[in-house]
Amino acid sequence: MSKLHSVKLPHYSASAEQSTRKIPAPEVVAISMAQHIGAPCEPCVAVGDSVKVGQKIGDSEAFMSAPVHASVSGTVKEIRDVMNVFGRICKTVVIANDNKNEMYEGIKPPKCDTREEFLKAVRESGAIGLGGAGFPTHVKLAFDKSKVNIEYLLLNGAECEPYITSDYRELMENSDNVLAGIDLIMQKLEIPNAIIGIEEDKPAAIDKLTKLAIRYPNISVQKLPGAYPQGAEKVLVHSLTGRVVSEGKLPSDVGCVVMNVSTAGFIYSYIKTGVPLVKRRITIDGNIVNNPANFFIPVGTLLHSIVGFADVRKQPDRIVLGGPMMGSCAFDPDTPLGKTNNAVLLFADTKKAEPTACIRCGRCVRACAANLMPTELESAFDARDVKELQRLKVNLCVNCGACSFVCPAKRNLAEKNQLAKDFLREATAPKK
Amino acid sequence: MSKLFVEASPHIRSPRTTKNIMLDVIIALCPALVASIVIFGYKAAVLVAVCVASCVLFEFLFNKIVKKKGTVSDLSAVVTGMLLAFNLPADLPVYMAVIGGFVAIVIVKCLFGGIGQNFANPAITARIVLMLSFTASMTSVWAKPMAWLDKTDAVTSATPLNVLASGEGELPSLMDMLLGLRGGCLGETCIAALLIGGIYLICRRVIRPITPICFIGTVALLTFFSGGFDVNYVAYQVMGGGLVLGAFFMATDYSTTPMTDKGNVIFAIGCGVITFLIREFATYPEGVSFSILVMNCLTPLIDRFTASKPFGAITPKKEGKKE
């Protein structure tokens, strides 16, 4: 098995050994109708309606979608267009919290005897990939058994970005549910094997899961090298099974379904309790945070509630949603957090990288897990050279940011790759 | 809340910068610099100072004249200046060194677009230009090592490679070769000091060992066969001339060598073969500079052929006949 390129990142995980806490209930939540990749939902409540925790407030007819639910009880204050964490502007239901935390009456464990019932239940739970990309989980699980032969359920517990420890806390605090969830998915979808991949820098989680997994003969735990980007889907599939997901293919084409460990844990608790995805765990950390830790937040908590609550030494000048390698900077403290947010990082005194000329040192080439040549991609994009961008396969870039990280000239290579992908998409789109 | 700072990911960067890479190279060149001053006396220090000053000045002036952003602070001109001085005989008239600095910085580096854009190694190209322009001063006046102790300006006409090529004259002992007590360019003689610098660069991950190993290894292997399996001869060939200096400090230059591992192996082996061919068959006793320059020219081609294959990429099949 050939080794993929990777980079060593600095290790920040001060929040790792703190158990997950709750934040004070926010006064309002703003729940975006687009919590995932795919079609946004349409609100199914109106201004003035009173809603309870777990009540469905938005749904869509589209397959590539998942419903959204109220995360607090209270009154729908307004429905307006807000930019969500993906930078998409879409309808958002703002709910004033009545602090009663009343559960919706309709909540009961779903019926899931057959495969179809199970998939329907997963959809109704509003489950999406909790790792960050936000792919609706039921879509991932609804593979066509007549076309693909799924041999492995791969559980992503790599958590390879610095600072973030929310999946680690899930593995430590909710290990039984994670394993039960994996077992349930394997049974319902008839997947013979499951492998949980955990990076070697989390020995406690590896130990704990390995011991508990003895009860499940077909679930194994595998130690992954501490090399970024270990958690990238294609890299994970390669590390755990040695299989290569080719260009334009999905892991299911090589017999694998990849899922975040926290998603598996959530699915189990949904099937048992019927409480949909209304809260999630996030890491609050950064260079000005005094007590980095993980917190459960209701979906739709506004960023400024978090910033106001966090114990910081000084005012942040940069807020990163997600990890430091792939997360995005928040524009607006009123941004509502969603199901995909696994971290809020607060920084101060950060400097903007000042790019200087490329010295052709080749560090980016040796950092790229996709084996691309970022510096050549940059020149190809600067020249708007469609053919060259296609030849260099810019579409295979997963935007892990390793190239920009290692660049001694501080060039924004990863950013250029994203721009190049957009440019290529537009340039090659069929003309009307 | 104060103004928020927005930037595309990633939000953390490695501490490596162009400037601290160059600083590491300067540090790595220091043992050889000290050795050269010990061996050739104060004139070595003067020559290095002149080369560095002229390189930095020419880069500064060039940027001013063409109204480009100043790049002197990245220290790359200092590295070029030191390497240029290391490639010159200690007795070279100072004005020639200044011409060398002009060629290296203005013609080879800045006119091609500055750092990262030059296709040929500035110091090596400058040395070759000086060698062709001032052949006598560049190739026949070699200061005698440690001559400054007797306050004489004794010169010797032969470097060990001259001796090996012509068969006339006396070879220094292998220990003297290692310590640098022999005729030769200012910075190339003290192999021990160069190795310390080279190992420092490898430990600091500024260079990777693959290039020097392949370069020196190829020369060693080829001379082993051509010299009739004589290990002594191999040792003189490896420690003679600018091979160690070139292999650790010039064939590892980023701008002018390939980017991939495979490319670097091809580059280094190519350098080794050309060095051997020149030393063995051409009129020049020394071939390191020419070999690196030739391979510099081939670098874009090597890069093209050794481009990494993207992970999971499907190479489009050659367009066949359409049905």
Side-chain angles (χ1 to χ4, degrees):
Chain A
M1 192 161 87
S2 61
K3 202 166 163 279
L4 301 181
H5 291 308
S6 62
V7 292
K8 281 261 177 268
L9 295 181
H11 200 70
Y12 303 106
S13 53
S15 57
E17 299 315 323
Q18 305 288 323
S19 34
T20 311
R21 287 177 254 161
K22 277 179 123 174
I23 65 158
E27 278 172 30
V28 290
V29 293
I31 302 173
S32 171
M33 290 294 111
Q35 297 284 350
H36 48 258
I37 294 171
C41 297
E42 268 304 310
C44 55
V45 288
V47 176
D49 285 3
S50 67
V51 291
K52 289 180 179 165
V53 178
Q55 183 177 346
K56 195 192 275 185
I57 57 169
D59 205 346
S60 162
E61 297 283 303
F63 175 64
M64 188 70 161
S65 188
V68 281
H69 304 82
S71 57
V72 295
S73 61
T75 321
V76 177
K77 216 167 81 178
E78 57 178 331
I79 296 174
R80 61 185 168 98
D81 284 338
V82 173
M83 189 192 281
N84 71 2
V85 289
F86 298 113
R88 262 162 83 180
I89 292 175
C90 64
K91 282 188 186 147
T92 298
V93 175
V94 183
I95 304 170
N97 192 353
D98 62 9
N99 285 318
K100 289 184 191 147
N101 206 22
E102 280 179 284
M103 294 303 275
Y104 180 57
E105 302 79 20
I107 288 179
K108 58 171 195 297
K111 191 168 173 304
C112 72
D113 298 327
T114 65
R115 174 189 156 94
E116 280 61 42
E117 280 170 353
F118 175 70
L119 290 175
K120 187 161 176 284
V122 171
R123 183 185 186 285
E124 286 306 307
S125 75
I128 56 144
L130 294 175
F135 198 86
T137 305
H138 71 96
V139 178
K140 205 177 251 187
L141 297 180
F143 49 87
D144 187 344
K145 286 202 79 110
S146 62
K147 289 199 185 120
V148 288
N149 173 29
I150 300 295
E151 294 164 75
Y152 290 102
L153 176 64
L154 304 179
L155 282 302
N156 192 346
E159 201 154 56
C160 51
E161 288 211 44
Y163 293 109
I164 311 180
T165 57
S166 61
D167 287 340
Y168 173 72
R169 288 317 305 168
E170 174 78 10
L171 287 171
M172 295 306 284
E173 293 168 13
N174 205 19
S175 355
D176 290 317
N177 277 6
V178 170
L179 284 165
I182 297 167
D183 190 48
L184 184 75
I185 297 166
M186 289 166 75
Q187 280 175 27
K188 298 293 174 197
L189 303 178
E190 295 167 36
I191 302 174
N193 307 293
I195 307 173
I196 308 172
I198 305 175
E199 244 184 43
E200 64 191 355
D201 60 357
K202 304 170 189 65
I206 297 175
D207 270 5
K208 186 163 189 192
L209 270 287
T210 310
K211 280 191 192 114
L212 291 172
I214 293 172
R215 282 183 280 146
Y216 304 93
N218 296 325
I219 303 179
S220 61
V221 178
Q222 203 167 309
K223 185 163 87 177
L224 297 169
Y228 185 81
Q230 191 56 245
E233 195 170 63
K234 288 181 178 185
V235 176
L236 189 83
V237 170
H238 186 259
S239 299
L240 292 178
T241 68
R243 298 177 184 188
V244 177
V245 181
S246 310
E247 195 179 346
K249 298 281 184 186
L250 293 171
S252 60
D253 292 309
V254 292
C256 300
V257 168
V258 184
M259 183 186 275
N260 184 274
V261 286
S262 300
T263 316
F266 164 72
I267 287 177
Y268 185 74
S269 68
Y270 175 73
I271 300 294
K272 285 290 145 204
T273 64
V275 180
L277 186 54
V278 293
K279 62 167 190 180
R280 72 152 299 148
R281 188 187 275 108
I282 64 160
T283 305
I284 300 181
D285 202 344
N287 67 1
I288 52 166
V289 177
N290 284 326
N291 297 304
N294 281 280
F295 297 87
F296 285 117
I297 61 157
V299 169
T301 303
L302 298 179
L303 183 56
H304 67 69
S305 317
I306 305 256
V307 178
F309 161 73
D311 177 12
V312 292
R313 288 187 281 276
K314 60 204 288 193
Q315 277 295 307
D317 59 15
R318 175 183 337 217
I319 301 176
V320 176
L321 305 176
M325 295 300 286
M326 292 186 69
S328 46
C329 281
F331 287 83
D332 181 355
D334 283 333
T335 307
L337 300 180
K339 296 176 184 177
T340 52
N341 278 100
N342 46 13
V344 170
L345 306 178
L346 306 171
F347 296 100
D349 305 322
T350 53
K351 284 191 198 89
K352 200 165 191 149
E354 289 291 341
T356 54
C358 170
I359 54 172
R360 279 178 42 88
C361 65
R363 280 178 174 77
C364 55
V365 175
R366 289 190 297 277
C368 184
N371 228 0
L372 303 173
M373 307 200 51
T375 174
E376 305 223 328
L377 282 168
E378 190 190 21
S379 349
F381 173 67
D382 288 343
R384 299 294 187 277
D385 186 338
V386 173
K387 278 230 168 77
E388 187 71 355
L389 285 171
Q390 284 171 327
R391 190 183 70 80
L392 293 166
K393 304 281 182 196
V394 70
N395 56 324
L396 289 176
C397 168
V398 297
N399 196 25
C400 73
C403 47
S404 298
F405 175 81
V406 295
C407 182
K410 309 297 160 203
R411 300 190 72 76
N412 297 313
L413 298 164
E415 182 183 2
K416 281 280 176 71
N417 282 354
Q418 295 312 100
L419 293 171
K421 278 195 258 181
D422 282 348
F423 163 74
L424 199 57
R425 205 171 298 131
E426 262 168 48
T428 54
K431 297 234 163 53
K432 279 176 191 168
Chain B
M1 196 175 299
S2 52
K3 267 196 179 161
L4 286 178
F5 189 91
V6 177
E7 191 181 37
S9 62
H11 310 288
I12 48 173
R13 300 292 180 107
S14 82
R16 264 282 174 229
T17 61
T18 304
K19 189 175 173 169
N20 68 32
I21 288 172
M22 294 303 160
L23 191 62
D24 269 340
V25 178
I26 293 170
I27 292 169
L29 287 170
C30 281
L33 174 64
V34 172
S36 73
I37 296 171
V38 171
I39 295 165
F40 297 111
Y42 75 96
K43 56 192 176 187
V46 170
L47 197 64
V48 173
V50 167
C51 284
V52 169
S54 62
C55 282
V56 172
L57 190 70
F58 283 129
E59 182 157 310
F60 177 78
L61 290 177
F62 184 90
N63 285 332
K64 268 271 173 288
I65 291 166
V66 303
K67 297 193 172 75
K68 271 181 79 169
K69 213 174 141 211
T71 50
V72 169
S73 64
D74 67 23
L75 300 179
S76 63
V78 178
V79 172
T80 303
M82 287 178 85
L83 284 174
L84 173 63
F86 278 24
N87 276 293
L88 303 175
D91 279 325
L92 194 78
V94 165
Y95 77 92
M96 292 183 190
V98 175
I99 294 173
F102 179 82
V103 172
I105 291 296
V106 177
I107 296 179
V108 184
K109 185 178 170 190
C110 290
L111 282 181
F112 282 90
I115 185 167
Q117 298 291 320
N118 50 304
F119 76 93
N121 188 308
I124 283 197
T125 316
R127 170 196 155 102
I128 289 172
V129 168
L130 291 179
M131 218 153 102
L132 299 176
S133 318
F134 309 105
T135 313
S137 309
M138 284 291 291
T139 58
S140 53
V141 191
W142 304 107
K144 220 171 151 198
M146 310 309 270
W148 57 279
L149 282 179
D150 328 323
K151 298 199 165 56
T152 60
D153 270 333
V155 293
T156 152
S157 57
T159 68
L161 286 183
N162 291 133
V163 176
L164 284 176
S166 63
E168 289 163 25
E170 206 183 323
L171 279 172
S173 72
L174 279 175
M175 187 44 106
D176 283 351
M177 291 291 286
L178 187 68
L179 295 176
L181 302 174
R182 54 129 166 136
C185 290
L186 192 153
E188 73 181 22
T189 63
C190 185
I191 304 301
L194 290 170
L195 285 178
I196 292 170
I199 290 166
Y200 173 78
L201 287 185
I202 291 168
C203 292
R204 296 279 295 155
R205 294 174 184 242
V206 171
I207 64 168
R208 279 157 324 118
I210 189 90
T211 304
I213 288 173
C214 290
F215 191 169
I216 297 173
T218 305
V219 173
L221 198 70
L222 292 175
T223 45
F224 183 63
F225 288 117
S226 79
F229 310 103
D230 179 358
V231 179
N232 247 348
Y233 178 69
V234 172
Y236 278 105
Q237 282 287 349
V238 166
M239 292 197 280
L243 181 58
V244 174
L245 175 66
F248 279 96
F249 292 94
M250 324 263 253
T252 54
D253 173 44
Y254 293 143
S255 307
T256 57
T257 63
M259 282 191 293
T260 59
D261 282 336
K262 225 191 292 175
N264 279 319
V265 171
I266 296 173
F267 181 91
I269 292 176
C271 285
V273 171
I274 297 171
T275 301
F276 167 78
L277 290 177
I278 293 176
R279 284 184 177 182
E280 200 78 354
F281 302 110
T283 43
Y284 283 105
E286 168 59 323
V288 172
S289 316
F290 288 105
S291 74
I292 295 177
L293 185 63
V294 170
M295 292 312 286
N296 283 165
C297 299
L298 292 177
T299 293
L301 213 59
I302 298 173
D303 260 341
R304 189 86 185 172
F305 284 114
T306 59
S308 38
K309 182 180 178 288
F311 179 59
I314 297 167
T315 15
K317 292 195 182 82
K318 291 234 170 86
E319 270 183 48
K321 286 171 208 157
K322 279 187 183 152
E323 286 167 42

